[in-house]
Amino acid sequence: MAAGERAGGYLRPGLRYLLDRLDDVPVQVVSDLGDLLAQNDLALALFGCVCSVAEEDRNIVLRWFTDPVVHGHFAAEEHAEQARQLVADLRAATARRGGDAASRSLVARCRAASAEFGALWDRHEVAVRRSRPYRLVHPDLGGIDLDCEVPATPAVDQRLRIFTPPPGRTSVLDELRALGPRHLCE
């Protein structure tokens, strides 16, 4: 596959290799449309059922706007910014794809399911997030601050998301490791 091509749901071997080797920080591979394609054990311990690779539940954008439980895993003061950034990022992906069937379908599903999504979509904000802080609320550990880095990958439709603690706060990763990979759903 040449640089800049789409990988689709196929997890590129290089990304799989990185995912397998980066076992000391939470890591996810996400499509440009927000489908969670893979995650390591620490990401599963961090996000539990909020982020699932099961095809029916794996779109992070759709789940944000349709599943109120998802909001509970993020600090309340982050909700508006998280929603805005998800939509702006999806708009960038849709433009890159030339409004293909997959992006049109996802946007239609989100618009039909959420007036909030529709209002944000109508603002026409476009953004590609390469790094940002996350303020999460873990059911066992409470508030967790992490930074998310999204380095460029050769496939235009897949992103590696690496979650790291701010300097001096690495103990949260030890706590996640102790919990182990598991779904945090009831």
Side-chain angles (χ1 to χ4, degrees):
M1 171 182 341
E5 290 184 13
R6 291 188 192 157
Y10 170 74
L11 189 58
R12 295 184 60 252
L15 288 181
R16 169 55 68 192
Y17 181 85
L18 285 173
L19 186 71
D20 291 343
R21 296 309 177 272
L22 293 171
D23 59 0
D24 59 340
V25 293
V27 180
Q28 298 176 321
V29 179
V30 180
S31 78
D32 60 334
L33 296 180
D35 287 336
L36 180 63
L37 302 174
Q39 62 185 340
N40 68 5
D41 287 347
L42 271 182
L44 183 57
L46 177 62
F47 290 108
C49 67
V50 172
C51 294
S52 169
V53 296
E55 194 161 342
E56 65 277 3
D57 291 329
R58 72 180 183 182
N59 189 275
I60 295 167
V61 179
L62 183 61
R63 292 211 49 223
W64 177 265
F65 289 99
T66 61
D67 186 350
V69 172
V70 173
H71 289 180
H73 292 274
F74 290 81
E77 62 272 14
E78 298 290 316
H79 289 185
E81 182 63 15
Q82 175 75 358
R84 190 181 71 71
Q85 288 191 15
L86 284 169
V87 173
D89 195 53
L90 179 59
R91 186 171 276 287
T94 300
R96 252 188 332 274
R97 287 169 164 254
D100 69 350
S103 60
R104 284 193 322 268
S105 174
L106 178 58
V107 169
R109 287 176 66 200
C110 290
R111 284 179 81 80
S114 170
E116 178 188 14
F117 176 89
L120 289 168
W121 187 259
D122 291 343
R123 290 171 63 175
H124 298 280
E125 289 185 57
V126 179
V128 176
R129 298 176 292 163
R130 292 289 177 203
S131 70
R132 83 178 275 264
Y134 272 73
R135 299 202 65 224
L136 303 169
V137 179
H138 191 278
D140 294 320
L141 303 177
I144 298 175
D145 292 327
L146 294 171
D147 295 320
C148 180
E149 296 293 328
V150 184
T153 61
V156 296
D157 64 340
Q158 289 185 355
R159 299 179 182 147
L160 185 69
R161 297 185 347 158
I162 304 169
F163 296 89
T164 60
R169 296 194 181 156
T170 59
S171 64
V172 69
L173 296 179
D174 295 332
E175 293 169 358
L176 280 172
R177 229 176 262 101
L179 287 174
R182 60 190 178 103
H183 288 282
L184 302 172
C185 304
E186 286 145 34

